[in-house]
Amino acid sequence: MKVAVLGAGAIGAYVGAALHRAGVEVHLVARGAHLEAMRRNGVRVHSPRGDFTAAPHATDDPADIGPVDHVFLGLKAHQYAACGPLINPLLGPDTAVVAAQNGIPWWYFHGLTGHPLEGTRIEAVDPGGSVSAVLDTRRAIGCVVYCSTEIEAPGVIRHVEGTRFSLGEPDRTISARCKDLSEAMVAGGLKAPIEPDLRDDIWVKLMGNVAFNPLSALTRATMAEMCEHRDTRELVALMMSETIAVARAVGCRPRISIEKRIDGAQRVGHHKTSMLQDLEAGKALETDAIIGAVVEIARLTGVAAPTLRSVYAAIDLLGRKALTAAS
């Protein structure tokens, strides 16, 4: 198996190192000091499960790699539309693209035979078809990440918790390409269950992201602080309740209670969400995939989601202002 990790940041480099440890031919695509460190010293992983070092090939030029069996996308969802020049050299006739993103993916309504919204494009995550023009939905393998990592230093990945990367085909089949990838990831020390319908997992994770990510950026609060503040906790619960209603409107049943989801987030402690980290770093925020797409699906299905709409309006404006200030 030949795998390229496009965007070998905290999650991508960790997955690449695990696959390399399993004997997979891995190529990491990165840039800057992080790339140079991985070239010199490999990927050094610090983990409560045991430290290890892997030395896969690392480059900033995908043309050095050529077509692969799987591309693991470590990019943010809003970067997909512009990734054509990077991903095109990696694509062969049967290359699969594993989209390990937060929120609603661009392929969400693809492959849902008989569903009223089958084939519907979600403008929030595929504006004007700009993403599907670069990433053909037929190549997509969904991936829901239950893993927390961070770049401790260039080339050094701190694995905080979790090793689960749930995989699934948009058309809900159990494909050979999913099985091959799952087996390789498990051999590298990860959990990689293949879900008959990954959309249920998407909504379970989204219940937390849709609330905690934007609220953390708006309040500058950690996970524990949001859960421990009574009124904010109630706001989180309300946003989760509206999200469950949207999920049910498209035929999904997230298998977790709101209180259990909040309690789990509280146990994470004083951790800054990815959206808050991006805001503080002056980066674009994942607002459209995490909350904008949910608001759009609510509109498509006639679900009232006033709290989600209000928070989305606020975080969208904050994100736009932050980018303007950074430029």
Side-chain angles (χ1 to χ4, degrees), residues 12-275:
Y14 176 63
V15 170
L19 287 171
H20 186 268
R21 187 166 61 163
V24 174
E25 180 186 341
V26 175
H27 303 266
L28 306 179
V29 181
R31 61 186 180 181
H34 184 52
L35 168 62
E36 295 308 315
M38 291 191 294
R39 279 174 165 165
R40 287 194 310 270
N41 305 311
V43 180
R44 291 182 287 171
V45 176
H46 295 164
S47 170
R49 295 167 55 87
D51 299 348
F52 69 95
T53 298
H57 172 238
T59 181
D60 58 0
D61 185 2
D64 292 343
I65 302 168
V68 299
D69 297 306
H70 295 83
V71 176
F72 185 92
L73 275 184
L75 305 173
K76 296 292 180 71
H78 53 259
Q79 298 173 313
Y80 288 179
C83 78
L86 289 173
I87 199 169
N88 287 340
L90 305 172
L91 301 178
D94 300 315
T95 302
V97 175
V98 185
Q101 66 164 93
N102 285 323
I104 299 291
W106 85 99
W107 54 261
Y108 188 86
F109 287 119
H110 172 70
L112 282 177
T113 304
H115 194 282
L117 293 173
E118 179 189 3
T120 299
R121 186 174 69 231
I122 303 172
E123 288 294 323
V125 290
D126 190 11
S130 57
V131 174
S132 53
V134 175
L135 304 174
D136 190 327
T137 51
R138 291 173 297 180
R139 296 186 182 274
I141 291 177
C143 180
V144 179
V145 178
Y146 295 96
C147 173
S148 177
T149 59
E150 57 190 36
I151 298 178
E152 189 171 86
V156 181
I157 305 301
R158 169 69 62 182
H159 172 227
V160 180
E161 63 172 356
T163 60
R164 181 179 165 191
F165 294 78
S166 296
L167 304 173
E169 290 282 359
D171 66 0
R172 298 177 286 199
T173 59
I174 306 298
S175 66
R177 65 183 189 174
C178 266
K179 288 180 180 178
D180 290 344
L181 180 61
S182 173
E183 289 171 3
M185 295 176 76
V186 169
L190 306 176
K191 296 177 182 177
I194 303 173
E195 300 295 341
D197 193 343
L198 191 68
R199 292 169 182 84
D200 286 338
D201 269 39
I202 287 172
W203 287 103
V204 167
K205 185 171 183 185
L206 191 55
M207 280 174 63
N209 283 344
V210 77
F212 290 118
N213 269 279
L215 291 178
S216 68
L218 290 166
T219 63
R220 307 301 198 275
T222 65
M223 299 285 281
E225 288 169 338
M226 287 183 283
C227 294
E228 291 165 1
H229 185 266
R230 185 192 63 188
D231 291 341
T232 304
R233 187 183 182 101
E234 290 179 2
L235 178 57
V236 166
L238 183 56
M239 293 177 72
M240 287 186 178
S241 177
E242 291 181 3
T243 300
I244 290 173
V246 177
R248 287 176 174 167
V250 290
C252 289
R253 297 288 187 271
R255 301 181 299 273
I256 190 169
S257 71
I258 289 174
E259 277 306 307
K260 187 174 180 180
R261 192 70 178 84
I262 295 175
D263 289 343
Q266 186 169 353
R267 287 194 296 272
V268 172
H270 292 287
H271 171 72
K272 293 182 179 181
T273 68
S274 60
M275 193 174 288

Side-chain angles (χ1 to χ4, degrees), residues 242-324:
E242 291 181 3
T243 300
I244 290 173
V246 177
R248 287 176 174 167
V250 290
C252 289
R253 297 288 187 271
R255 301 181 299 273
I256 190 169
S257 71
I258 289 174
E259 277 306 307
K260 187 174 180 180
R261 192 70 178 84
I262 295 175
D263 289 343
Q266 186 169 353
R267 287 194 296 272
V268 172
H270 292 287
H271 171 72
K272 293 182 179 181
T273 68
S274 60
M275 193 174 288
L276 177 54
Q277 292 179 49
D278 285 345
L279 180 68
E280 292 178 342
K283 298 179 180 178
L285 307 185
E286 292 182 284
T287 53
D288 288 330
I290 287 176
I291 185 169
V294 181
V295 171
E296 184 175 340
I297 294 173
R299 186 171 65 251
L300 288 170
T301 55
V303 175
T307 314
L308 291 173
R309 288 200 303 271
S310 297
V311 173
Y312 176 58
I315 192 62
D316 185 58
L317 178 58
L318 176 62
R320 292 171 187 269
K321 286 175 61 67
L323 272 186
T324 300

